[in-house]
Amino acid sequence: METKVLLPTKENIAKAGEALFNGQLVGIPTETVYGLAANALDGEAVKSIFAAKGRPADNPLIVHISDISQIERFHLVSEIPEAAEKLMAAYWPGPLTIIMKKGDVPSEVTAGLDTVAVRFPSHPVTKKIITAANCPLAAPSANTSGKPSPTTAEHVFHDMNGKIPYIVDGGACEVGVESTVITVAGDVPVLLRPGGITPEQLEAVLGHIEIADAVLNQLKEGETAASPGMKYKHYAPSAKITLIKSSDEKYIEYVNAHKDEGAAALCYDEDVPFLSVKTYPYGAKNDYESQANRIFDVLRQMDDDGAGIVYGRCPDTNGTAMAVYNRLIRAAGFEVIELA
Ligand code: TXA
Ligand code: MG
C-alpha cells in the first residue's frame, strides 16, 4: 500500500475523514504526539491498529472526540463523575485523557477493561478530522510499538510507510509528549501517566490525587499495572542509555571521562560547550516544556545515528519534567547512576 502524506486542506481533511469512517487507518496530528487513528466504533478497524503497530492486544486505546457532547451522543461512558466534569471544564480541549466507566465502546478499544479513556485534543486539525469522520477516533501514538512516539509527520512515515493509506501533516507537535492520563473511575483520582497537564494543575481542580507507583518507579515482579501501557518497555531506542543524577560539573566530568568508550551525551543545552563527546541536547535545564517538546525527536536521532552508549542527564520530577522523567527512565530501562 502506498502511504500518502496529506496537507490539511479542506479536501484532504474530507478525504481522511471518509477513509476513517470507512474503517481505514490514518496518521493524524495532535498537540501532544501523532496518533494512528481508526473509527472507535468499528471493532475490525480498531484491530488493524494493533496489527500496524505490533501492539499487544491487552493495551487499551484512547478515544478522541471533537466536542464534549459526543460522549453522550455515542454513549462512550456509563456515567460522567463530578471529578471528570471539573477536569473537562478546566483542561479540555487539551493534553488530558480521562478514564471513566465504559459505555458502548467495542472491547477491542478497551482491551476488555470496564473503563474507557477519553480525550478531547486541542489541535485544530485533529478537531477537523474527527468532525469530518463523524465518529470518535481510537488512536494510540503512531509509532511502531516500543519506539519513541512520533512528533512529526516524517516520524510517522518512517514507522508506518506502506501500512496505512494516509498521514495528515499538521506540523510538529507543540507539547511533544503524550497526554496526561488520569482515572476518575474509582473513589480517588489516580494519575496513571504524566504529560502536558501537570500533577499541580490536576490538584488545583481536584484537591489531592494519587500518583500510580509505576509513574516514577519500576514495577516489581508480579505487580499489576494500573494502566496496562506502563508494564511494557516503552520508548526503547537502540542505544544503551544510562541516566546520571548529579550536579552539572559531575555530569560533565563523568561523560568526558567515558569518551574512549565512544559514549554520547543526552544532555541539557547548557552542557554542550563543556562536553568532548557527541551531544544530543534535549532542552534547556530549567525549561521543562522545551525538554518535553524535543525528547522524542532526539531519541529518534540517536537511533538514526546508531548511537551505542549514551549517558543522559536525569530530568527533574516536578511540573512538566515529570513527564520527561517518566519517558526517559523507561528509555534507560531504569538504569540510573547517582554521583554524590
Ligand atoms: O497524547 C496522547 O495521549 C496520544 C495522542 C495520539 O492522543 N495517544 C497515546 O496513546 O499516547 P497510547 O495508546 O500510546 O497511550 C495510551 C495509554 C496507554 O498507556 C494505555 O495503557 C492507557 O493509556 N490506557 C488506555 N485506556 C486505559 C484504561 N481504560 N485504563 C487504564 N489505562 C488505559
Ligand atoms: Mg504510545
Side-chain angles (χ1 to χ4, degrees):
M1 179 188 301
E2 192 197 346
T3 302
K4 288 204 183 87
V5 178
L6 306 176
L7 288 172
T9 61
K10 215 172 160 195
E11 297 75 45
N12 284 342
I13 284 176
K15 196 186 269 185
E18 197 184 323
L20 284 162
F21 186 77
N22 291 325
Q24 290 188 288
L25 302 186
V26 178
I28 62 166
T30 83
E31 72 278 20
T32 56
V33 301
Y34 273 74
L36 182 61
N39 180 342
L41 307 177
D42 179 344
E44 286 306 309
V46 171
K47 262 194 210 162
S48 61
I49 292 180
F50 288 86
K53 274 182 68 88
R55 182 180 176 103
D58 68 347
N59 195 3
L61 307 177
I62 297 172
V63 177
H64 298 69
I65 55 174
S66 59
D67 194 293
I68 292 180
S69 67
Q70 290 167 353
I71 297 179
E72 280 192 8
R73 179 171 150 216
F74 296 111
H75 199 240
L76 300 180
V77 307
S78 62
E79 55 163 336
I80 302 182
E82 202 190 320
E85 269 170 14
K86 287 185 185 163
L87 290 170
M88 290 173 193
Y91 302 119
W92 274 7
L96 177 68
T97 295
I98 306 173
I99 295 180
M100 294 169 271
K101 295 243 165 66
K102 93 185 252 294
D104 297 330
V105 181
S107 62
E108 286 85 357
V109 174
T110 59
L113 298 176
D114 61 359
T115 53
V116 62
V118 184
R119 168 158 130 73
F120 179 178
S122 64
H123 195 301
V125 175
T126 330
K127 285 204 253 183
K128 285 184 197 158
I129 296 171
I130 299 170
T131 305
N134 198 24
C135 58
L137 299 181
S141 48
N143 51 291
T144 301
S145 240
K147 288 289 159 198
S149 294
T151 54
T152 64
E154 291 77 50
H155 293 164
V156 182
F157 189 81
H158 179 275
D159 285 14
M160 293 298 149
N161 184 20
K163 296 185 173 175
I164 60 176
Y166 303 120
I167 298 165
V168 179
D169 187 348
C173 301
E174 204 180 308
V175 178
V177 290
E178 305 89 337
S179 62
T180 300
V181 178
I182 187 169
T183 177
V184 293
D187 294 337
V188 188
V190 185
L191 174 70
L192 301 181
R193 179 176 75 181
I197 301 292
T198 64
E200 294 82 353
Q201 286 175 296
L202 297 171
E203 291 201 319
V205 173
L206 298 179
H208 178 70
I209 61 162
E210 281 177 14
I211 297 183
D213 217 26
V215 167
L216 297 173
N217 304 300
Q218 188 166 21
L219 280 176
K220 293 167 200 75
E221 269 300 294
E223 200 177 344
T224 49
S227 180
M230 289 197 289
K231 72 183 179 208
Y232 297 107
K233 188 178 177 207
H234 255 159
Y235 322 114
S238 3
K240 160 107 184 67
I241 304 178
T242 305
L243 296 182
I244 310 290
K245 213 177 196 170
S246 71
S247 65
D248 302 346
E249 295 74 21
K250 286 262 154 75
Y251 173 73
I252 288 161
E253 197 182 300
Y254 186 90
V255 174
N256 286 339
H258 287 76
K259 186 181 173 172
D260 292 345
E261 282 175 18
L266 179 60
C267 57
Y268 292 142
D269 295 350
E270 295 89 333
D271 302 327
V272 172
F274 303 102
L275 290 165
S276 56
V277 303
K278 167 114 181 105
T279 57
Y280 293 93
Y282 71 90
K285 185 176 178 180
N286 292 317
D287 184 351
Y288 300 152
E289 278 70 31
S290 82
Q291 294 172 20
N293 182 268
R294 275 161 58 187
I295 190 63
F296 284 135
D297 188 50
V298 171
L299 290 176
R300 278 180 181 259
Q301 267 171 40
M302 280 173 23
D303 262 359
D304 291 348
D305 295 352
I309 298 169
V310 174
Y311 294 107
R313 285 220 51 168
C314 191
D316 290 337
T317 52
N318 58 309
T320 307
M322 185 191 271
V324 181
Y325 178 86
N326 171 273
R327 308 312 190 269
L328 261 189
I329 193 89
R330 282 169 173 75
F334 294 89
E335 290 290 326
V336 182
I337 296 177
E338 210 161 325
L339 302 176

